[in-house]
Amino acid sequence: MIRRFPTLTALTFLSACATVPQASPPPAPVTVRIAGINDFHGNLMPLSSPREVQTPDGQGVSVPVGGAAWLAGAIAGIRAQNEYSMVISAGDMIGASPLASAAFLDEPAIGVMNRIGVDFNAVGNHEFDKGWHELKRIAEGGCEKHTLRQPCAVEPDFGGANFPFLSANVVTDNGETLFPAYGLKTFGEGENAVTIGVIGLPLRDVPNLVTPSGVADLTFGDESDAINVYVQELASQGADAIVVAIHQGLYNEPQSDTNGCGNVEGELLPILGRLDPRVDLVVSGHTHRAYVCDYATIDATRPFLVTSAGYGASQVTDIALIIDPARNEVTAKTAHNVTVQSEGKAKDGSALQTSDALPEITPDPAIAAYVARYVDAVAEVAKRPAGKISGQAIITDDDEVETALGDMIADAQLAATREAGAQIALMNNAGVRASLVPADDGSLTFGDIYAVQPFGNTLITRTFTGDQVLALLEQQFDDAAKKQILAPSAGFAFAYDRSRPKGDRIVSATLNGDPINPLKSYRLTMNSFLAAGGDGFTVLTEGTQTTTGGNDLDAFEAWLKAVPLRQLPEPDRVTNLTPR
């Protein structure tokens, strides 16, 4: 057999005609747009008062903000910028809500968020206001009754949330997290696909902020430890970007700079300082501040962004993550807060002025119609007359400042429990949720007073020794409880000096002018949240001879109506003697 071989010329020709494989171009960067929200608190309608915000050129303007329909419009505008988008909430979506949502157990707040298309919600402290069993119902649907209010009053087939609630550091007695610790969402296909991992969790201090029975059998762990465990798990599952949604926050100055991070402080800082550097973005909340922080300016080894969108849908954070699918990492990120400018009416019925320097947002008509169902359902209750007061009772963001409104609530609680032997009543300032601004003739509606005390607490009266009363007052300043003073009822007064040693900061305490006697007994009234040790006031759990009274809001309404015009008290029951 003769074998023939190609000639050199033929070999040369064949070599010249061969096709050399070309390398495929690397996949293009992928942008995922995220709308970050927090502390919605069931604000279906625009906020009752205009808010001071900054225009893009740095000017301060006062405009109406918020409302579910306008929030939906703002988020739609953010989504429209890119093919891929998601919505992440950092907690307190529900709880401490206006009447239109709270009267229906915040079911309409969940309905709104379903329609907006939220992807993940980290539980906050207010999600636990009515206990974790009711929280489970809100998340999963159904009409099982866990509170005094009737579920499913407007929507008989309430189905719960269409998105996961996340609680990475909340563990039940069987060792599992109450809700999933994290979730994953993938955009695109093949080599162009990118996956976002989202870890969600509340602040570990939840048991001090809600009625303890509502979180019985739950353990709230260290935030940083929980996050870092699940960062590793998400990385092993191929997440290209890792987002943390945490209900804890920062304080920035000036507050009006909603896209800045000046003079930043707060309980979130030590948590951030321990995070795994693979985190790309932290969506935060709880402090009701709006900010955008580049944490790399604090710690170059942790170059993540930290954002918050204020309170009540007044802002939404527009975040862009640019991801390289080939390198499986975020290569760039940007964020800025968008003011949700809406519309509203002043007390005289005139329209509140808006600003041409801020984006005009078109409200979502379908969500507006959905909200209207609930507003109509609660309208008659909200309009009910609830007494008159002699002026505006304004609260501040500083819970360490005595206010006439806090004192009024304490007075009302004392009056309601006199028959139980009450001599003193104390109200936690952090539980006073809104100012009271009456109509021109001083009249108030039930909706007005509900906004002040939306929790539905009962009144508890207990006997304490004078020594326990003094120990309770010291807890205001022991750095373990939430920073606030307790508003005292008429006849009870105290003075303090923060410069004195811990445990000796109360300078004086008197009842009807007489010093509190450590050996005597006193009957003291508080709301059921405080009675369970809420806000860190554990001394209040130690009383004896407990008498349970009525609802705190009912007591306030009855006290207001007891006279034709209730005079605002002079806030002179608490004296700060701390040297300045």
Side-chain angles (χ1 to χ4, degrees), residues 104 107-112 115 142-143 151-159 370 373-374:
F104 306 104
E107 291 170 4
I110 299 300
V112 161
R115 287 160 173 80
C143 300
C152 307
V154 174
E155 297 179 78
D157 55 350
F158 175 70
Y370 175 77
R373 290 174 58 191
Y374 282 91

Side-chain angles (χ1 to χ4, degrees), residues 60-82:
V61 294
S62 183
V63 295
V65 294
W70 286 268
L71 175 64
I75 289 175
I78 290 172
R79 286 186 182 277
Q81 297 175 81
N82 295 98

